[in-house]
Amino acid sequence: MKKREHNGKRWKTFQNWFVNQGFHCFFLTVILVLAGGNQVQQMQATTISYYQESELEQLKKAHQNRNQSYIPEEAQPYTKKKQEEGVSKQQLELYAKAAALIDADSGRVLYGKDENTRYPMASTTKIMTCIYTIENSNLDDVVTVSAKAASQPKTRLGIREGEQYRMKDLLYALMLESCNDCAVAIAEHVSKSVDNFCREMTVKAQELGCTDTQFETPNGLDSQGHYTTAAELAKIGAYAIKNETFLTITNQASYSFQELTKGQKHTVYNKNAFLTMYEGAMGIKTGYTSKASYCFAGAVSRDCRTFVSVVLASGWYPKKTYKWQDTKKLMDYGVNQYQRVTLLRPSLCLEPIKVNKGIKKAVAITEQGSVRTLLKKGDVVDYRIDYSQTSLTAPVVKNQVVGYLSIYINGSEYKKIPLLTAETCKQWNYSWCLKQTLKRFFSVL
C-alpha cells in the first residue's frame, strides 16, 4: 500500500515537473520565434542594394559578372534622340515593281518597295520546293517519273515517263536550270500528289510567318492563286540559306548525273549569273513567266552580315539584265549603309523587383539572351521596360517571367525580350525564423 502511494507521489511530481518544464519550453519557443521574427528585418537592414554583399558577389559570379549596362556601348549612340530622327529613307531607282532587302539573321526589312503586296513569283517558287524537299525526304530516294511530270513545259530536263532518278540529282536540275518537269516529279514523290505538296508548302510558309504566300504549283508556272510578297519571299530565302545542303546545291556551277535504269547522262549549269557579279554572293534563284516577268532572290554574305534581296516584276522580256541591276543596287545599299550592332546583352543592372513575404526584400532581374541586328546611320533605338506586376510574393523561383523589355527601331517594335528572375527567394515563415535564430544563437556560444 505504501509502495503504491509512493509511486503515485512520484508520478505527480513528474507531472508537475513536466508541466513546469513544458511551460518553460513553450516560453522559450515563443521568445525564439519572436526573436526570429526580427531576423528578416535584421538581415534586410544589413543588405547592400537589396542583397547581402556576399550574396550579390556570388550572383554576379554565377552570371559571369554581368554587372555592365544592359545597353551595350556600341548601341548607345543610336539611343540619342538628337540624332536625325525620322531621316527620310533613301529612295533607290529600281525597275522592279516590288522589292525587299532584309537582314537574313533577324528577318528585319532594311529596304522595301511595295514589299507587302502580292505578286506572282515564277520559278523563285522553287526555293520553297527545294528546302521543303530537303527537310521532308531522303536525298538518296529513287524517284520514278510520271506522265504528268514528263509533260511539263519548258524549262525542262527532258525526263521521260518511267525513268528513275535520285532525289538529290533532281534537286540540282531543279535549282540550277529551273527544270519544271523535275519539280513535278519531286512533288509527287514527296507528297503523293502536286496538290498535296503545294498545300504542305503553303503551311510551311505560314509557319515561317508568311501569311501572304500561297503555292498552287511546285515550279512557279502561272496560276491564279499562286503568289507571294517581296518581303515574304525574302524571309523564305533567308530561312533556306541556313540549310547547308540547300546552299551547296544553289552555289554549284554545274552538276552531272545519270538516269538509274538506262544510264542516260545529264549535265546542268547554274543560270544564276549574280554569283559571279557580286563579292560574297550566294544563291538563290531566278524566275520568269509572262505574268510574273523577271524575278530574282539573291543573297550576299560579307563581314559577318548576310543580306537577302528579292525583286519581282523586274522588267519585261527581253530586259533580262534589269533584275541583276536592281539586285546590285539593293545589295550595295545594305553593304554600304548597315553595320551589325549589339542592342542588348544580359546584365544585372535592371532595378530589382520587390518580394513580399520573402526572406529577401527583392530579387535580381536579368534578360533572356543577347540581341544583335543591322543598323544604319540615323536609325533610332528605344528601350521600354514593362513589368507585368510591381512586386512578387514569395516563394519566387529562378527564371520566372516578371515582365518584358521591348526594343524599338525607328518607332517600330523590333524585339520583345522576357525579363526573368535571376535567383530564388524562399517564403518568410516562423519555422525559417526559428532556424535562423538558432543558427545565430549557437554561433555566438
Side-chain angles (χ1 to χ4, degrees):
M1 187 72 176
K2 289 182 179 181
K3 187 176 181 180
R4 183 179 296 176
E5 289 177 0
H6 177 71
N7 290 339
K9 288 179 180 180
R10 289 177 63 185
W11 173 246
K12 190 171 184 179
T13 301
F14 174 77
Q15 285 181 317
N16 291 334
W17 177 87
F18 182 80
V19 170
N20 290 333
Q21 294 302 316
F23 174 76
H24 290 308
C25 290
F26 174 75
F27 182 71
L28 177 61
T29 301
V30 170
I31 292 175
L32 289 173
V33 168
L34 291 176
N38 292 323
Q39 180 70 16
V40 174
Q41 299 299 325
Q42 293 174 17
M43 186 181 75
Q44 291 179 340
T46 60
T47 60
I48 297 176
S49 298
Y50 289 103
Y51 306 95
Q52 289 183 351
E53 187 173 5
S54 60
E55 290 180 355
L56 186 58
E57 289 304 317
Q58 291 176 4
L59 190 61
K60 286 182 178 180
K61 186 176 181 180
H63 283 259
Q64 300 176 348
N65 293 317
R66 292 176 180 168
N67 56 356
Q68 74 281 2
S69 170
Y70 68 91
I71 304 177
E73 185 176 350
E74 61 185 285
Q76 291 177 9
Y78 296 93
T79 66
K80 298 177 181 178
K81 299 299 182 181
K82 65 181 181 181
Q83 279 201 87
E84 306 168 71
E85 289 192 65
V87 174
S88 59
K89 181 176 67 175
Q90 180 180 344
Q91 297 297 318
L92 303 179
E93 294 183 2
L94 302 175
Y95 294 107
K97 288 187 176 181
L101 175 73
I102 72 169
D103 172 10
D105 294 325
S106 69
R108 188 165 71 93
V109 176
L110 307 178
Y111 185 88
K113 174 184 177 181
D114 204 20
E115 69 274 20
N116 296 316
T117 299
R118 295 175 178 178
Y119 282 87
M121 59 189 122
S123 285
T124 58
T125 297
K126 296 179 174 105
I127 298 171
M128 179 61 88
T129 302
C130 183
I131 188 62
Y132 185 79
T133 299
I134 291 171
E135 294 179 342
N136 292 277
S137 72
N138 187 328
L139 300 191
D140 290 325
D141 279 357
V142 175
V143 179
T144 302
V145 179
S146 70
K148 181 175 182 177
S151 65
Q152 294 301 301
K154 293 182 179 179
T155 300
R156 60 188 178 188
L157 181 65
I159 56 179
R160 300 179 179 180
E161 182 181 1
E163 290 183 338
Q164 294 185 328
Y165 294 88
R166 280 194 313 159
M167 176 65 78
K168 178 181 178 181
D169 298 336
L170 292 180
L171 286 177
Y172 273 95
L174 175 82
M175 298 305 287
L176 270 57
E177 289 209 3
S178 200
C179 298
N180 294 325
D181 48 0
C182 293
V184 172
I186 290 168
E188 291 178 332
H189 180 84
V190 174
S191 303
K192 308 306 179 185
S193 75
V194 167
D195 289 343
N196 287 343
F197 188 78
C198 291
R199 279 194 293 269
E200 290 165 11
M201 288 201 301
T202 300
V203 170
K204 178 65 178 181
Q206 292 171 350
E207 291 173 355
L208 297 178
C210 301
T211 57
D212 282 312
T213 297
Q214 181 170 286
F215 299 100
E216 286 190 346
T217 70
N219 45 30
L221 295 177
D222 292 333
S223 180
Q224 186 65 33
H226 190 83
Y227 53 78
T228 190
T229 70
E232 291 193 354
L233 184 57
K235 184 181 292 187
I236 293 170
Y239 173 79
I241 63 173
K242 290 181 173 65
N243 185 287
E244 291 185 8
T245 301
F246 181 92
L247 264 186
T248 298
I249 293 173
T250 55
N251 282 277
Q252 190 78 14
S254 63
Y255 183 78
S256 297
F257 59 97
Q258 62 184 31
E259 194 269 338
L260 298 178
T261 59
K262 298 178 181 179
Q264 182 180 357
K265 295 181 179 180
H266 298 274
T267 299
V268 289
Y269 300 90
N270 201 324
K271 302 302 183 184
N272 179 5
F274 192 70
L275 287 172
T276 59
M277 286 182 181
Y278 204 91
E279 180 186 349
M282 52 182 190
I284 307 180
K285 188 70 187 71
T286 58
Y288 175 82
T289 66
S290 58
K291 181 180 179 181
S293 185
Y294 290 104
C295 305
F296 180 64
V300 166
S301 181
R302 194 186 295 184
D303 300 328
C304 299
R305 300 166 297 167
T306 303
F307 303 93
V308 173
S309 67
V310 166
V311 291
L312 301 176
S314 181
W316 301 88
Y317 183 81
K319 306 295 184 181
K320 296 182 178 181
T321 63
Y322 282 2
K323 61 182 179 291
W324 308 131
Q325 296 177 50
D326 283 349
T327 300
K328 185 178 183 300
K329 288 179 182 179
L330 288 167
M331 292 304 186
D332 283 346
Y333 177 80
V335 169
N336 297 330
Q337 297 286 335
Y338 285 89
Q339 299 299 323
R340 187 161 297 285
V341 178
T342 299
L343 298 181
L344 180 72
R345 62 165 60 97
S347 70
L348 292 174
C349 287
L350 293 173
E351 186 71 20
I353 189 167
K354 294 181 179 180
V355 178
N356 301 318
K357 300 181 180 180
I359 63 174
K360 300 176 184 177
K361 278 187 177 181
V363 292
I365 301 301
T366 188
E367 307 86 8
Q368 190 178 53
S370 299
V371 176
R372 302 188 72 201
T373 193
L374 298 180
L375 295 177
K376 70 178 188 302
K377 184 179 179 181
D379 284 341
V380 177
V381 181
D382 187 25
Y383 298 81
R384 305 178 193 177
I385 296 176
D386 179 30
Y387 289 107
S388 54
Q389 46 194 326
T390 57
S391 64
L392 302 175
T393 300
V396 176
V397 298
K398 188 177 179 180
N399 293 329
Q400 181 175 332
V401 178
V402 297
Y404 293 90
L405 187 154
S406 298
I407 301 176
Y408 289 78
I409 300 178
N410 300 329
S412 299
E413 187 177 75
Y414 169 62
K415 287 283 186 182
K416 195 171 186 177
I417 300 94
L419 299 177
L420 310 173
T421 53
E423 56 184 331
T424 61
C425 179
K426 294 181 180 180
Q427 186 177 28
W428 179 93
N429 55 43
Y430 284 106
S431 174
W432 178 84
C433 291
L434 179 59
K435 184 178 179 180
Q436 298 301 313
T437 303
L438 288 173
K439 281 184 179 180
R440 178 171 292 187
F441 176 75
F442 288 112
S443 68
V444 299
L445 288 180

